Amino acid sequence: MKNDSKPVYVTRSSMPSFEEYADMIHAMWNSRWLTNMGYLHEELTERLKKEFEAEHFLLFSNGHMALELALQSLEMKGEVITTPFTFISTTQAIIRNGLTPVFCDIDPVRLTIDPEKIEDLITEKTCAIVGVHVYGIPCETRIIDSIAAKHGLKVIYDAAHAFRVRYMGKNIANYGDVSMFSFHATKVYHTIEGGGVVCHDPKQYSRLSRLRNFGFFYGGLDGDQLGVNAKMSEFHAAMGLCNLRHIEQEIQKRKEVSEHYDQLLGKAKGLQLFPAIEGLERNYAYYPVIFLDNAPKSRDKACEDLEKEGIIARKYFYPLTSAFSCFKGRSDQGNTPVAEDIANRVLCLPLYAGLSAEDVEWICHIILN
Ligand code: T4K
């Protein structure tokens, strides 16, 4: 039996060697050009444009600002159909733009917004659909994109978890009108703090590039957008450039850990694991497990038992964002029984490149007992 005093967290940031990072920041250190679209920022932008197979890509200080400004750049008013099964950032970005979230239920297998339920929620006030590729599971993009085209709605994907995900032969960034990625330290690919947006309309791209720089073009004199400071610094871009070199190995190691979990948990009755989805190339960002049995609070019991052994699994995403007190009076909680049920049963197990086989076995032993 395992006897290790170190906590095992839900994830652990991937890091280049100290020497590799120091080498990356060396020239910048001497030049004293630390931020404001510096050399490393521009180089990372070019690399990520290739990564996302996109013409229009912008870096941001974090994923939340990327999403909030992406929504602002679409200049919308009214209601946005969205999922409550997400991190609070998604809903906050909608509300902080003066838009009203209308919560749609999720698919019980994919855990993403249920396209069958979207059309019933469309009113004359609906302006957009905000889907979340939760845990790197793609939304049903083809159906959502066609519903949006039929009703003249914008489609925004919160792809915070979906770096390197491909779906139906395309990079996930190339669905919908705009996709936001988080490059936070807890993500598969990170820049410590950071975010990115892929969009397809050059006018929107231009607005967005001003919004992240106080509303004006860098070096310009007039600001025609109500912007903020959401620029990425050179230190963050340097980490991003280093981590990009290692992303293949990072994902491969996460795949191995995930497959080890699958082997040990796959035959257990009462556990729903990551869904098999045709056309999906995964990034192994999260390892969600759904406790299907009827025993009350079996997810909570498993979480407590793991914690007693120093294993910090996380209930991403409980509670639903529609239940957050800061949204009271700003939106209806919606009718989302599937999302509520999943939020009460889901647990994300530790998953990161250096997680040992012994730890995986110990975690599974605790869960299966
Ligand atoms: N949309 C969605 C769907 C999102 O999930 C998120 C963020 C966003 C939008 C907004 O993107 P950002 O603005 O964050 O770029 C974490 C992350 O802070 C957040 O990025 C993420 N989603 C959310 C799901 O999880 P916490 O409060 O659970 O993280 P924390 O600090 O408890 O860290 C979790 C574990 O990660 C720690 O136990 C250990 C490890 N860790 C953490 C940090 C901060 C590291 O190894 N290194 C670190 O530096 O929110």
Side-chain angles (χ1 to χ4, degrees):
M1 288 296 127
K2 191 162 181 300
N3 179 21
D4 186 338
S5 58
K6 273 186 289 179
V8 174
Y9 294 113
V10 70
T11 193
R12 203 161 164 236
S13 296
S14 56
M15 303 280 277
S17 71
F18 178 73
E19 291 71 27
E20 186 180 349
Y21 185 70
D23 191 45
M24 186 63 81
I25 61 173
H26 194 238
M28 177 265 285
W29 198 273
N30 291 334
S31 77
R32 302 195 181 204
W33 191 277
L34 307 181
T35 185
N36 288 4
M37 323 329 163
Y39 167 74
L40 297 173
H41 177 281
E42 295 304 278
E43 190 174 336
L44 183 60
T45 301
E46 285 311 308
R47 297 272 172 102
L48 290 177
K49 264 166 82 170
K50 291 203 181 90
E51 166 72 34
F52 291 121
E53 298 161 14
E55 206 177 322
H56 301 301
F57 170 78
L58 288 162
L59 283 169
F60 290 83
S61 52
N62 56 64
H64 178 83
M65 285 318 299
L67 182 59
E68 194 169 313
L69 296 179
L71 288 169
Q72 192 181 337
S73 69
L74 288 166
E75 302 181 319
M76 301 182 295
K77 281 198 181 96
E79 294 174 356
V80 171
I81 298 173
T82 190
T83 168
F85 188 65
T86 181
F87 192 52
I88 190 168
S89 166
T90 318
T91 310
Q92 270 174 341
I94 294 169
I95 292 189
R96 285 171 59 83
N97 268 290
L99 298 161
T100 305
V102 173
F103 293 107
C104 182
D105 213 349
I106 60 171
D107 180 275
V109 174
R110 266 176 123 105
L111 314 177
T112 54
I113 193 165
D114 186 345
E116 303 270 308
K117 299 192 177 138
I118 291 178
E119 280 194 298
D120 284 351
L121 299 173
I122 296 177
T123 69
E124 71 280 2
K125 292 188 192 151
T126 309
C127 58
I129 301 166
V130 173
V132 179
H133 304 307
V134 68
Y135 312 131
I137 303 168
C139 294
E140 296 217 49
T141 49
R142 282 180 305 181
I143 308 178
I144 293 171
D145 291 0
S146 74
I147 294 172
K150 182 172 150 198
H151 296 272
L153 308 176
K154 297 284 182 202
V155 179
I156 300 95
Y157 288 117
D158 177 335
H161 306 167
F163 187 85
R164 268 285 160 109
V165 168
R166 295 183 69 81
Y167 185 45
M168 298 292 176
K170 283 208 293 191
N171 190 294
I172 196 75
N174 289 307
Y175 290 96
D177 294 287
V178 47
S179 295
M180 175 283 284
F181 293 82
S182 165
F183 306 143
H184 183 262
T186 52
K187 299 295 185 289
V188 169
Y189 168 74
H190 76 88
T191 60
I192 309 171
E193 286 275 2
V197 170
V198 170
C199 65
H200 311 292
D201 170 14
K203 286 197 184 125
Q204 187 201 353
Y205 168 80
S206 165
R207 277 196 296 275
L208 200 46
S209 62
R210 281 171 278 157
L211 284 172
R212 77 171 174 186
N213 185 55
F214 310 101
F216 57 89
F217 285 116
Y218 181 55
L221 290 176
D222 183 34
D224 67 341
Q225 304 281 306
L226 207 53
V228 293
N229 178 0
K231 294 172 270 114
M232 178 181 278
S233 86
E234 289 292 85
F235 287 90
H236 295 85
M239 181 60 88
L241 284 165
C242 291
N243 283 339
L244 210 48
R245 290 175 177 158
H246 306 289
I247 187 71
E248 292 284 342
Q249 300 96 293
E250 172 69 24
I251 292 177
Q252 179 56 32
K253 285 185 191 157
R254 283 169 169 268
K255 180 171 188 270
E256 286 160 19
V257 173
S258 282
E259 287 174 350
H260 196 181
Y261 272 128
D262 291 346
Q263 262 173 19
L264 299 173
L265 298 178
K267 290 202 184 96
K269 280 192 192 137
L271 293 181
Q272 178 180 320
L273 305 183
F274 198 95
I277 291 173
E278 205 191 322
L280 168 63
E281 290 169 52
R282 285 175 63 179
N283 68 355
Y284 303 92
Y286 292 86
Y287 198 89
V289 170
I290 297 164
F291 291 74
L292 295 171
D293 63 18
N294 288 325
K297 308 226 176 246
S298 60
R299 180 274 310 267
D300 295 351
K301 171 85 171 69
C303 189
E304 280 162 26
D305 289 350
L306 288 167
E307 205 165 329
K308 279 185 205 144
E309 298 295 333
I311 294 151
I312 318 297
R314 295 292 287 270
K315 298 175 192 173
Y316 296 134
F317 288 100
Y318 169 87
L320 296 180
T321 64
S322 47
F324 274 76
S325 56
C326 59
F327 301 141
K328 271 202 186 117
R330 295 174 193 267
S331 72
D332 191 308
Q333 287 211 357
N335 179 23
T336 59
V338 177
E340 203 165 311
D341 186 48
I342 297 288
N344 284 322
R345 294 175 181 276
V346 69
L347 191 62
C348 286
L349 303 184
L351 174 58
Y352 49 87
L355 187 64
S356 70
E358 192 197 12
D359 280 333
V360 172
E361 283 154 21
W362 182 229
I363 291 165
C364 294
H365 170 81
I366 296 167
I367 287 176
L368 295 173
N369 279 284

